[in-house]
PDB file of all heavy atoms in Angstrom:
ATOM      1  N   CYS O  48     -17.015  26.896  20.353  1.00 98.00           N
ATOM      2  CA  CYS O  48     -17.506  27.956  19.325  1.00 98.00           C
ATOM      3  C   CYS O  48     -16.868  29.227  19.644  1.00 98.00           C
ATOM      4  O   CYS O  48     -16.649  29.682  20.786  1.00 98.00           O
ATOM      5  CB  CYS O  48     -19.044  28.081  19.567  1.00 98.00           C
ATOM      6  SG  CYS O  48     -19.794  29.318  18.401  1.00 98.00           S
ATOM      7  N   HIS O  50     -18.001  32.003  19.213  1.00 96.00           N
ATOM      8  CA  HIS O  50     -18.840  33.054  19.573  1.00 96.00           C
ATOM      9  C   HIS O  50     -18.948  33.240  21.051  1.00 96.00           C
ATOM     10  O   HIS O  50     -18.448  34.098  21.682  1.00 96.00           O
ATOM     11  CB  HIS O  50     -20.367  32.861  19.028  1.00 96.00           C
ATOM     12  CG  HIS O  50     -21.411  33.754  19.366  1.00 96.00           C
ATOM     13  ND1 HIS O  50     -22.678  33.483  19.846  1.00 96.00           N
ATOM     14  CD2 HIS O  50     -21.345  35.094  19.513  1.00 96.00           C
ATOM     15  CE1 HIS O  50     -23.279  34.614  20.073  1.00 96.00           C
ATOM     16  NE2 HIS O  50     -22.562  35.639  19.900  1.00 96.00           N
ATOM     17  N   ARG O  51     -19.515  32.166  21.742  1.00 97.00           N
ATOM     18  CA  ARG O  51     -19.596  32.206  23.284  1.00 97.00           C
ATOM     19  C   ARG O  51     -19.204  30.889  23.868  1.00 97.00           C
ATOM     20  O   ARG O  51     -19.617  30.534  24.956  1.00 97.00           O
ATOM     21  CB  ARG O  51     -21.013  32.634  23.637  1.00 97.00           C
ATOM     22  CG  ARG O  51     -21.425  34.065  23.436  1.00 97.00           C
ATOM     23  CD  ARG O  51     -20.610  34.985  24.351  1.00 97.00           C
ATOM     24  NE  ARG O  51     -20.992  36.400  24.139  1.00 97.00           N
ATOM     25  CZ  ARG O  51     -20.409  37.183  23.173  1.00 97.00           C
ATOM     26  NH1 ARG O  51     -19.607  36.620  22.338  1.00 97.00           N
ATOM     27  NH2 ARG O  51     -20.803  38.477  23.188  1.00 97.00           N
ATOM     28  N   ALA O  52     -18.336  30.107  23.237  1.00 98.00           N
ATOM     29  CA  ALA O  52     -17.529  28.987  23.707  1.00 98.00           C
ATOM     30  C   ALA O  52     -18.487  27.844  24.064  1.00 98.00           C
ATOM     31  O   ALA O  52     -18.034  26.865  24.671  1.00 98.00           O
ATOM     32  CB  ALA O  52     -16.919  29.381  25.068  1.00 98.00           C
ATOM     33  N   ALA O  53     -19.636  27.685  23.448  1.00 98.00           N
ATOM     34  CA  ALA O  53     -20.373  26.348  23.570  1.00 98.00           C
ATOM     35  C   ALA O  53     -19.644  25.315  22.903  1.00 98.00           C
ATOM     36  O   ALA O  53     -18.931  25.571  21.826  1.00 98.00           O
ATOM     37  CB  ALA O  53     -21.861  26.568  22.993  1.00 98.00           C
ATOM     38  N   LEU O  55     -19.033  22.710  20.168  1.00 98.00           N
ATOM     39  CA  LEU O  55     -19.581  22.550  18.835  1.00 98.00           C
ATOM     40  C   LEU O  55     -20.108  21.103  18.677  1.00 98.00           C
ATOM     41  O   LEU O  55     -21.010  20.755  17.930  1.00 98.00           O
ATOM     42  CB  LEU O  55     -18.629  22.803  17.730  1.00 98.00           C
ATOM     43  CG  LEU O  55     -18.270  24.251  17.573  1.00 98.00           C
ATOM     44  CD1 LEU O  55     -17.078  24.430  16.564  1.00 98.00           C
ATOM     45  CD2 LEU O  55     -19.482  25.069  17.210  1.00 98.00           C
ATOM     46  N   CYS O  67     -23.656  25.354  15.611  1.00 98.00           N
ATOM     47  CA  CYS O  67     -23.622  25.459  17.093  1.00 98.00           C
ATOM     48  C   CYS O  67     -24.963  25.383  17.703  1.00 98.00           C
ATOM     49  O   CYS O  67     -25.957  25.944  17.178  1.00 98.00           O
ATOM     50  CB  CYS O  67     -22.861  26.759  17.494  1.00 98.00           C
ATOM     51  SG  CYS O  67     -22.724  26.938  19.307  1.00 98.00           S
ATOM     52  N   TYR O  69     -25.944  26.702  20.356  1.00 98.00           N
ATOM     53  CA  TYR O  69     -26.370  27.922  21.302  1.00 98.00           C
ATOM     54  C   TYR O  69     -26.999  28.984  20.526  1.00 98.00           C
ATOM     55  O   TYR O  69     -28.206  29.293  20.642  1.00 98.00           O
ATOM     56  CB  TYR O  69     -25.099  28.359  21.924  1.00 98.00           C
ATOM     57  CG  TYR O  69     -25.306  29.188  23.242  1.00 98.00           C
ATOM     58  CD1 TYR O  69     -26.607  29.460  23.766  1.00 98.00           C
ATOM     59  CD2 TYR O  69     -24.263  29.662  24.065  1.00 98.00           C
ATOM     60  CE1 TYR O  69     -26.855  30.228  24.803  1.00 98.00           C
ATOM     61  CE2 TYR O  69     -24.463  30.386  25.150  1.00 98.00           C
ATOM     62  CZ  TYR O  69     -25.753  30.698  25.548  1.00 98.00           C
ATOM     63  OH  TYR O  69     -26.025  31.468  26.712  1.00 98.00           O
ATOM     64  N   HIS O  70     -26.330  29.620  19.524  1.00 97.00           N
ATOM     65  CA  HIS O  70     -26.866  30.622  18.754  1.00 97.00           C
ATOM     66  C   HIS O  70     -26.913  30.346  17.276  1.00 97.00           C
ATOM     67  O   HIS O  70     -27.110  31.279  16.461  1.00 97.00           O
ATOM     68  CB  HIS O  70     -26.227  31.995  18.970  1.00 97.00           C
ATOM     69  CG  HIS O  70     -25.922  32.288  20.460  1.00 97.00           C
ATOM     70  ND1 HIS O  70     -24.811  32.001  21.101  1.00 97.00           N
ATOM     71  CD2 HIS O  70     -26.818  32.898  21.314  1.00 97.00           C
ATOM     72  CE1 HIS O  70     -24.896  32.434  22.352  1.00 97.00           C
ATOM     73  NE2 HIS O  70     -26.138  32.922  22.610  1.00 97.00           N
ATOM     74  N   GLY O  71     -26.523  29.187  16.975  1.00 97.00           N
ATOM     75  CA  GLY O  71     -26.688  28.707  15.562  1.00 97.00           C
ATOM     76  C   GLY O  71     -25.637  29.168  14.627  1.00 97.00           C
ATOM     77  O   GLY O  71     -25.739  28.958  13.365  1.00 97.00           O
ATOM     78  N   TRP O  72     -24.419  29.498  15.080  1.00 96.00           N
ATOM     79  CA  TRP O  72     -23.371  29.825  14.036  1.00 96.00           C
ATOM     80  C   TRP O  72     -23.128  28.531  13.286  1.00 96.00           C
ATOM     81  O   TRP O  72     -23.057  27.473  13.834  1.00 96.00           O
ATOM     82  CB  TRP O  72     -21.996  30.268  14.819  1.00 96.00           C
ATOM     83  CG  TRP O  72     -22.016  31.699  15.142  1.00 96.00           C
ATOM     84  CD1 TRP O  72     -23.132  32.453  15.667  1.00 96.00           C
ATOM     85  CD2 TRP O  72     -20.928  32.522  15.266  1.00 96.00           C
ATOM     86  NE1 TRP O  72     -22.688  33.725  15.957  1.00 96.00           N
ATOM     87  CE2 TRP O  72     -21.264  33.862  15.746  1.00 96.00           C
ATOM     88  CE3 TRP O  72     -19.525  32.488  14.955  1.00 96.00           C
ATOM     89  CZ2 TRP O  72     -20.497  34.915  15.906  1.00 96.00           C
ATOM     90  CZ3 TRP O  72     -18.735  33.550  15.162  1.00 96.00           C
ATOM     91  CH2 TRP O  72     -19.152  34.763  15.632  1.00 96.00           C
TER      92      TRP O  72
HETATM   93  S1  FES J 401     -21.900  30.037  21.364  1.00 74.47           S
HETATM   94 FE1  FES J 401     -21.980  29.157  19.350  1.00 74.47          FE
HETATM   95  S2  FES J 401     -23.371  30.355  18.313  1.00 74.47           S
HETATM   96 FE2  FES J 401     -23.213  31.360  20.273  1.00 74.47          FE
END
Side-chain angles (χ1 to χ4, degrees):
C48 183
H50 180 224
R51 287 293 180 276
L55 291 176
C67 180
Y69 199 0
H70 312 93
W72 282 34

